[in-house]
Each structure stands twice: as structure tokens, then as C-alpha cells.
């Protein structure tokens, strides 16, 4: 991130103003419950800023803020609001017959998803501008891809730990920094003429997009949500190969080459492997080892479907209206047109 | 791991882990580019012999264990 984001309301304003100074007890207004916490601009940006302190930090913000009790207390209130909205919006899916049926139960969660497919739209219809918007939305997570799920590593042991480590090893490039998935995404952004620096588009992203990332941080930072975090990752891996093939073919349709499609192509093959490991060995393995987490695993998967679905609807509705799906449209001429003409 | 382990996943691909050599019928090596690979079992992948997730789209169904000759 290059500069601190612009505040979007009372809470984010109080947090951002405080963070710009050295660490001190924060006197923030106690948050009122917004109408729709799952897409509320102020709440989601405030949470996003709180969470970023646990990843790479925020520009110009003292490291000490990460563990400042008054900020953590405010974050807890914001999280309570986010969590209550999630609990209300996402019912608990029916449990599997046994841990050996976890893959079937997870697939049922995916099959119940009735949100329109952004990937299908991108494959067939998206304009270059819409494609660039999609990549900007995705950058909020993809530039730190796999990091929120890595919070699960110290909280697991035995077979599910071995399974998640195998997945994360691929996400982190198997020892080759150039193959780290977040780096492949940065390369794609660069090739598309977008700003690949971490956090460059935060001001552009609506609350519904920030919520998809905040969800992972919420589940990741609280050990009590380890089951849900695993379920979230499992469904993410299970629902990845086909959409990524569609994104790659959308890029090719618009004339983009290898450097732009590498991230998406890699995910077609990598996630064809990850799907089975995540559903059976990781999620099923955890349910076998700790049956009490079964319900949380499935609920975590369902929260992914719910929040991604909301973000997808909002994006496609904006595009249908011929509008930008971002809060602030990308600067005109920002995106590089493909170097080779579409065939 | 000193021998390859091939796992057949329900309704999905065959995962191959461990030392293996993948080749075409003429013995020419097929570069998998990774240590653990998923081989398509549904026949509908666009990147055969590798799985590309299409089994989900075509609702491929197969048990994880061996099918019985006398099932039914
Ligand atoms: S088994 Fe996955 S595409 Fe055929
Ligand atoms: Fe990845
Ligand atoms: Fe993956």
C-alpha cells in the first residue's frame, strides 16, 4: 500500500486518523450496527485496516499498533458485528453422514450456489475495462494469496496439517519466488498495465469486495474458527480450476498473451490437484480427527459461497447497467491494451 | 517415499504422488511440471492426461474404491 486509504465513515476515519500518529490509546466512537454489515463501506474498510496490521502493515503506521489493546477492543466490536451478520446470512449446511463423506457435503455446498458466474461472463462477454476491474477486485486477496489460510498451520496437526502444507507449498511457489501465486498475479497485473503494488487499489474496492478478504482474516486470526478456515480453503480450492480456465480464455479472447494468463493457467492444473487434497485429506481429515469441527468446516465453506456470491452479483449488476463495479473507476487508459491484436 | 502412490478420488481424478515417470505410448516423457499430479479419470479434461477440473462440470461419478463386476 502506498498511502493510507481514504476513510469512508466515522469509524474508519477515527482509526485512520489515530494510526497516522504514534501508538496511543484510541478513543473511537463505539460502532453502531450498520444496515448491511456485509457490504458496509465504513465497517469493512475499518476491519480491513485493523487486519492489515497483522500482514504487511500500513504505510507510515507504527508496528506497535498491531497489539494496541484499545484498537484490538474496537476490532473486537467490529468483528462481533461482522460475525453476527454472517451467522444470520449463512445457515449451517447439513452435516455429512461421516467424515468420509466430507467431500460430498462440501460439493453440495458448492452446488447450492445460485450466484451468477463472473467467470462465465468474463470468458464470453467482458470488455477490456471490465476485465481490468475484475483483476483490481481480485488484487485485494490475490496479492497476499494463501496468507490468511496459513494462519491454520500452527493450529493443525497430523494428516490435515500435512495436507494443508502440501497445498500451501504450491501456493508459495515450491521454493521458487517467481512461482509464488501472488507473484504470478502481480505479473498478470503488470502485463495488463495495472499497478501491481500491494494495496494500490484499496480506495477503489467496494465494501462487498473487502468483506471477502476480511472474512478470511476473521477466520484466520481466531483459533476458534480453525474449522471454518479449513472449510473456506477447501471450497476455494474445489471451485477454482474451471473458473480460472474461463478467466484465462477471456484474457485470450481479448488478445492477451502468456504473461497475463500464467496465473490463471497455473490454477487450472494446480487446483485440479488441490481440489482432492483439500476436500478429502484436509477437510475430511480434520473432521475425522476432530469431529466437533465438522459443522464449522461446512459453515466456513458456506460463508465463502455467500460473500463471493454477493460480490459477484454487485459486480455483474454494475456491468449490466454499463457502470463501473468499483467505487472509483480506474483511470482511463490505465490498462495496457494487448500487444498482439485479438485473432 | 520410495514408491509412487496413486490415489483414486471419488468423482474425481487419480492423484499420483512420489517418484514416477509419465510418458506417452512411444515412451516420450510427458512433463508434468510438478511432483504431485492429477490424472483425468472422466475423459473430459482439455489438458489430458491431466485433470483440469472439468469432472465437476460434467458431474462425473465414480467410486473411490474398485468397482465391482457384479454391482447392481
Ligand atoms: S477427472 Fe478431472 S477433468 Fe477428468
Ligand atoms: Fe493459488
Ligand atoms: Fe490452490
Amino acid at each position: 500500500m502506498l498511502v493510507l486509504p481514504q476513510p469512508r465513515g466515522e469509524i474508519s476515519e477515527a482509526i485512520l486518523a489515530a494510526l497516522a500518529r504514534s501508538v496511543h490509546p484510541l478513543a473511537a466512537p463505539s460502532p453502531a450496527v450498520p444496515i448491511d454489515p456485509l457490504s458496509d463501506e465504513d465497517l469493512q474498510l475499518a476491519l480491513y485496516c485493523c487486519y492489515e496490521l497483522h500482514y504487511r502493515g500500513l504505510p507510515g503506521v507504527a508496528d506497535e499498533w498491531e497489539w494496541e489493546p484499545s484498537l484490538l477492543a474496537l476490532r473486537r466490536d467490529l468483528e462481533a458485528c461482522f460475525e453476527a451478520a454472517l451467522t444470520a446470512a449463512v445457515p449451517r449446511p447439513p452435516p455429512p453422514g461421516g467424515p468420509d463423506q466430507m467431500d460430498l457435503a462440501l460439493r453440495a455446498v458448492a452446488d447450492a450456489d445460485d450466484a451468477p458466474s463472473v467467470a462465465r461472463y468474463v470468458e464470453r462477454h467482458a470488455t477490456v475495462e471490465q476485465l481490468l476491474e475484475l483483476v483490481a477486485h481480485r488484487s485485494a486477496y490475490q496479492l497476499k494469496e494463501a496468507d490468511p489460510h496459513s494462519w491454520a498451520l500452527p493450529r493443525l496437526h497430523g494428516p490435515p496439517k500435512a495436507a494443508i502444507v502440501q497445498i500451501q507449498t504450491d501456493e508459495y511457489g515450491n521454493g521458487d519466488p517467481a512461482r509464488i501465486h501472488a507473484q504470478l498475479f502481480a505479473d498478470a497485473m503488470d502485463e495488463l498495465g495495472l499497478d501491481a503494488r500491494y494495496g494500490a487499489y484499496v480506495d477503489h474496492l467496494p465494501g462487498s469486495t473487502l468483506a471477502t478478504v476480511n472474512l478470511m482474516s476473521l477466520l484466520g486470526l481466531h483459533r476458534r474458527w480453525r474449522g471454518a478456515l479449513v472449510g473456506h480453503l477447501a471450497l476455494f480450492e474445489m471451485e477454482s480450476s474451471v473458473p480460472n480456465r474461463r478467466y484465462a480464455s477471456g484474457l485470450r479472447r481479448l488478445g492477451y498473451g502468456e504473461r497475463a494468463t500464467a496465473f490463471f493457467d497455473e490454477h487450472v492444473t494446480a487446483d485440479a490437484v488441490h481440489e482432492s487434497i483439500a476436500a478429502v485429506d484436509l477437510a475430511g481429515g480434520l473432521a475425522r480427527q476432530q469431529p466437533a469441527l465438522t459443522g464449522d468446516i461446512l459453515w466456513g465453506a458456506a460463508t465463502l459461497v455467500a460473500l463471493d456470491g454477493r460480490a459477484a452479483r454487485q459486480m455483474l449488476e454494475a456491468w449490466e447497467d454499463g457502470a463501473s463495479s468499483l467505487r472509483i473507476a480506474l483511470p482511463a487508459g490505465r490498462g495496457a491494451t494487448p500487444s498482439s491484436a485479438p485473432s | 517415499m520410495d514408491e509412487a502412490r496413486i490415489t483414486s478420488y471419488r468423482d474425481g481424478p487419480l492423484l499420483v504422488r512420489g517418484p514416477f515417470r509419465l510418458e506417452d505410448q512411444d515412451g516420450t516423457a510427458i512433463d508434468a511440471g510438478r511432483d504431485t499430479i492429477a490424472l483425468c479419470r472422466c475423459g473430459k479434461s482439455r489438458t489430458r492426461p491431466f485433470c483440469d477440473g472439468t469432472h465437476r462440470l460434467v458431474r462425473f461419478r465414480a467410486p473411490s474404491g474398485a468397482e465391482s463386476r457384479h454391482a447392481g
Side-chain angles (χ1 to χ4, degrees):
Chain A
M1 207 169 299
L2 325 163
V3 289
L4 284 177
Q6 289 299 310
R8 300 183 192 179
E10 211 187 350
I11 308 290
S12 54
E13 176 143 32
I15 291 180
L16 286 160
L19 290 178
R21 297 165 47 212
S22 58
V23 70
H24 61 271
L26 180 81
S30 50
V33 179
I35 298 163
D36 181 11
L38 301 181
S39 59
D40 187 75
E41 299 295 339
D42 193 31
L43 173 79
Q44 294 298 338
L45 179 66
L47 267 177
Y48 187 85
C49 293
C50 291
Y51 288 145
E52 274 310 308
L53 299 173
H54 299 280
Y55 294 99
R56 300 202 206 165
L58 291 166
V61 172
D63 289 344
E64 288 74 18
W65 273 110
E66 183 185 2
W67 297 107
E68 164 53 37
S70 58
L71 181 62
L72 293 174
L74 173 61
R75 194 189 95 193
R76 185 190 52 202
D77 292 346
L78 300 172
E79 285 178 324
C81 185
F82 185 30
E83 228 180 280
L86 278 171
T87 312
V90 186
R92 292 200 155 242
D100 58 328
Q101 312 273 307
M102 185 51 102
D103 51 325
L104 297 177
L106 284 167
R107 212 184 298 149
V109 171
D111 290 345
D113 181 7
D114 58 0
S117 164
V118 176
R120 260 177 220 272
Y121 182 85
V122 167
E123 178 174 38
R124 300 194 195 143
H125 311 292
T127 62
V128 170
E129 291 72 27
Q130 291 168 340
L131 187 114
L132 295 175
E133 288 197 1
L134 170 84
V135 172
H137 281 282
R138 294 276 303 266
S139 69
Y141 170 58
Q142 241 59 70
L143 290 175
K144 60 169 177 242
E145 183 176 344
D147 290 344
H149 298 115
S150 290
W151 298 117
L153 298 183
R155 295 164 186 168
L156 297 176
H157 67 277
K161 182 165 197 144
I164 194 172
V165 167
Q166 189 178 4
I167 293 170
Q168 300 300 81
T169 304
D170 275 350
E171 305 296 343
Y172 293 130
N174 282 294
D176 178 359
R179 300 298 298 172
I180 295 177
H181 288 181
Q183 181 59 48
L184 294 178
F185 194 82
D187 294 344
M189 290 184 81
D190 197 49
E191 186 66 12
L192 294 168
L194 292 168
D195 189 341
R197 287 174 295 181
Y198 190 83
Y201 292 106
V202 172
D203 282 336
H204 295 259
L205 304 179
S208 57
T209 295
L210 295 180
T212 62
V213 188
N214 288 337
L215 170 64
M216 294 183 244
S217 303
L218 170 76
L219 302 181
L221 285 166
H222 295 270
R223 191 176 60 85
R224 68 192 162 89
W225 282 128
R226 63 199 179 282
L229 181 67
V230 161
H232 185 284
L233 172 60
L235 208 78
F236 208 104
E237 299 294 341
M238 291 170 73
E239 292 300 288
S240 171
S241 287
V242 172
N244 278 299
R245 175 167 57 69
R246 296 191 193 282
Y247 290 131
S249 65
L251 281 160
R252 293 199 174 89
R253 171 178 62 79
L254 291 166
Y256 291 101
E258 198 54 21
R259 193 160 177 260
T261 61
F263 169 88
F264 302 94
D265 293 334
E266 167 64 16
H267 279 84
V268 175
T269 9
D271 289 339
V273 175
H274 295 172
E275 173 191 334
S276 305
I277 299 176
V280 178
D281 303 340
L282 172 58
L286 183 60
R288 176 169 292 118
Q289 188 188 58
Q290 299 181 53
L293 294 180
T294 303
D296 283 357
I297 295 172
L298 287 166
W299 184 73
T303 58
L304 167 66
V305 170
L307 292 201
D308 272 16
R310 292 169 65 106
R313 280 201 176 87
Q314 199 174 313
M315 203 182 299
L316 290 170
E317 274 164 20
W319 290 347
E320 255 160 46
D321 296 346
S324 168
S325 65
L326 299 167
R327 293 181 72 240
I328 311 165
L330 295 172
R334 176 74 235 186
T337 38
S339 34
S340 57
S343 50
Chain B
M1 226 185 295
D2 50 3
E3 59 173 7
R5 184 156 60 100
I6 304 172
T7 315
S8 151
Y9 282 91
R10 172 170 36 218
D11 305 340
L14 301 166
L15 256 59
V16 187
R17 303 166 164 99
F20 63 83
R21 175 185 159 83
L22 185 67
E23 55 183 32
D24 67 13
Q25 62 180 13
D26 301 322
T28 310
I30 298 174
D31 181 20
R34 59 190 74 241
D35 294 339
T36 298
I37 59 167
L39 294 177
C40 176
R41 192 153 76 106
C42 75
K44 300 294 186 202
S45 167
R46 299 185 194 187
T47 56
R48 288 175 294 186
F50 304 110
C51 163
D52 70 352
T54 302
H55 56 266
R56 293 270 290 115
L57 279 184
V58 302
R59 301 187 166 271
F60 172 63
R61 295 288 175 264
S64 173
E67 268 171 334
S68 154
R69 216 179 280 260
H70 307 291

